[in-house]
Amino acid sequence: MSGSHGHDHTHATVTEKNAKKLSFALVLTSIFLIIEVIAGFITQSLALLSDAAHMFTDAAALAIALVAIKIGKLPADNKRTFGYQRFEILAALFNALMLFLVAVYILYEAYQRFSHPPEIQSMGMLVVAVIGLIINLISMRILFSSAQESLNVKGAYLEVLSDALGSVGVIIGAIVIYFTHWYWVDTLIAVLIGFWVLPRTWILLKQSINILLEGVPEEIDIEQLRQDLLQLPKVESIHQLKVWAISSKNIHLTVHLYAPQADQKQLYQAASAMLHQQHGIAEMTLQIEDDECLAHTHSQQGAHQHEAPAHVHSEQDTHDHSHQH
């Protein structure tokens, strides 16, 4: 099992690095958020408030991501054998829902304003938006590398990105209003920010719900995986194939392989190497069967409630091998 320990170690250092980056971005964002809310009310700019609302969900995303890392590191116990890694996904889900609500509020407020646009102080609006953009760009620079590795940091990164675009929108709006006094431009930009963010929110929501429903992770091609298992030497059939994810990086698989002629130990090693190298799955429970009657019963009842007993001995069977592995 030595390989697995190496993986845990690097994961821990990555998470530690992520936590530092997120903390820094959170402090920056929170300070600016307060400035932007005050400025939004003083200048009467809905675009600034819309941007501030996103800054708020930004700060929330960063805070949630941080808490998720801290909680995700808590060890597994008898009640939670996977530990608290799922918290990351709950955090992403909560964050997506918050963004949704904010977008709805901004659209409602804009609807109210279209008929009576208030007078807006474009100069103050411009200054604040420029500061906001600079802060967003700094945060994006900090989070970029980690966003590739973690759904959690990716959620935070997307927030900061959408916020940077929001700031650009506000800057353009402020310049237009300064020269033309078309105050409705402010409302228009607030709405555009809302619409720009909604599809991204939807994607984050969909990914999070898929993981919570034990769906097959998007990066796994289940048909290809099934073919690869069937092509293993001496495997005659497979059943009870299940693939799911605990968090964005922790993918699990269980499967029963019917291979009466195979050397079980060799087959186990070949299967785990293939799953690891070709599909990036490290956590697996493989049950190798040589009893046709048993295999047939399982495949017949796979659709029914045969899961529990199947898994009981599957854990047992593979443990001996996995330690050698």
Side-chain angles (χ1 to χ4, degrees), residues 234-239 256-260 267 287-293 295:
K234 302 196 171 68
V235 170
E236 292 182 20
S237 66
I238 68 164
H239 45 272
H256 295 192
L257 305 173
Y258 174 56
L267 176 57
Q287 178 183 338
I288 298 165
E289 292 166 351
D290 50 17
D291 183 338
E292 188 168 9
C293 162

Side-chain angles (χ1 to χ4, degrees), residues 229 235 237-242 254-258 285-289 294-295 298-299 306-307 309-311 313-314:
L229 284 168
V235 170
S237 66
I238 68 164
H239 45 272
Q240 296 283 34
L241 172 62
K242 293 187 176 54
T254 69
V255 67
H256 295 192
L257 305 173
Y258 174 56
T285 301
L286 308 174
Q287 178 183 338
I288 298 165
E289 292 166 351
L294 184 68
H298 283 165
S299 57
H306 199 75
E307 327 288 316
H311 281 264
H313 54 252
S314 92

Side-chain angles (χ1 to χ4, degrees), residues 157 188 216 219 255 305:
Y157 177 78
L188 178 70
V216 174
E219 63 268 35
V255 67
Q305 292 305 298

Side-chain angles (χ1 to χ4, degrees), residues 31-41 43 47-56 128-129 132 163 167 170:
I31 293 169
F32 180 71
L33 168 64
I34 297 160
I35 298 170
E36 193 167 37
V37 170
I38 295 166
F41 283 111
T43 60
L48 266 188
L49 285 177
S50 173
D51 197 46
H54 288 304
M55 267 285 187
F56 174 72
V128 175
D163 213 56
S167 298
V170 179

Side-chain angles (χ1 to χ4, degrees), residues 33 46-58 60 94-110 159 162-163 190-191 193-195 197-198 201:
L33 168 64
L46 183 64
L48 266 188
L49 285 177
S50 173
D51 197 46
H54 288 304
M55 267 285 187
F56 174 72
T57 52
D58 239 3
F94 176 71
N95 184 27
L97 289 171
M98 290 246 302
L99 256 180
F100 237 87
L101 293 173
V102 164
V104 170
Y105 164 74
I106 294 297
L107 295 177
Y108 169 75
E109 180 65 28
E159 292 266 10
S162 69
D163 213 56
V191 172
I193 293 173
F195 276 131
V197 169
L198 276 175
T201 312

Side-chain angles (χ1 to χ4, degrees), residues 2 4-5 31 33 43 128 152 154 156 159 179 198-199 201 204 246 259-260 281 292 296:
S2 58
S4 154
H5 286 298
I31 293 169
L33 168 64
T43 60
V128 175
N152 192 3
K154 186 181 179 183
E159 292 266 10
F179 287 111
L198 276 175
T201 312
L204 194 62
I246 298 301
I281 299 173
E292 188 168 9
H296 184 67

Side-chain angles (χ1 to χ4, degrees), residues 157-317:
Y157 177 78
L158 282 177
E159 292 266 10
V160 180
L161 170 66
S162 69
D163 213 56
L165 288 164
S167 298
V168 171
V170 179
I171 290 168
I172 294 167
I175 293 168
V176 171
I177 292 168
Y178 182 75
F179 287 111
T180 62
H181 295 290
W182 295 342
Y183 295 127
W184 54 266
V185 170
D186 175 69
T187 312
L188 178 70
I189 282 163
V191 172
L192 289 176
I193 293 173
F195 276 131
W196 193 85
V197 169
L198 276 175
R200 274 148 195 77
T201 312
W202 177 244
I203 291 164
L204 194 62
L205 198 64
K206 222 170 62 175
Q207 284 180 329
S208 308
I209 289 174
N210 183 46
I211 291 181
L212 289 175
L213 290 177
E214 309 289 357
V216 174
E218 285 175 10
E219 63 268 35
I220 299 289
D221 178 346
I222 193 92
E223 280 311 314
Q224 185 57 53
L225 194 146
R226 193 174 269 123
Q227 289 312 312
D228 290 347
L229 284 168
L230 284 168
Q231 281 162 10
L232 287 166
K234 302 196 171 68
V235 170
E236 292 182 20
S237 66
I238 68 164
H239 45 272
Q240 296 283 34
L241 172 62
K242 293 187 176 54
V243 185
W244 72 101
I246 298 301
S247 64
S248 54
K249 282 289 155 209
N250 188 349
I251 298 173
H252 287 244
L253 168 143
T254 69
V255 67
H256 295 192
L257 305 173
Y258 174 56
Q261 258 68 66
D263 173 320
Q264 294 206 351
K265 192 173 160 188
Q266 275 178 351
L267 176 57
Y268 182 87
Q269 285 168 344
S272 51
M274 181 276 291
L275 288 167
H276 194 68
Q277 285 153 21
Q278 291 177 33
H279 298 276
I281 299 173
E283 300 278 346
M284 61 195 82
T285 301
L286 308 174
Q287 178 183 338
I288 298 165
E289 292 166 351
D290 50 17
D291 183 338
E292 188 168 9
C293 162
L294 184 68
H296 184 67
T297 321
H298 283 165
S299 57
Q300 289 276 294
Q301 295 180 310
H304 306 303
Q305 292 305 298
H306 199 75
E307 327 288 316
H311 281 264
V312 173
H313 54 252
S314 92
E315 293 291 344
Q316 205 49 52
D317 281 5

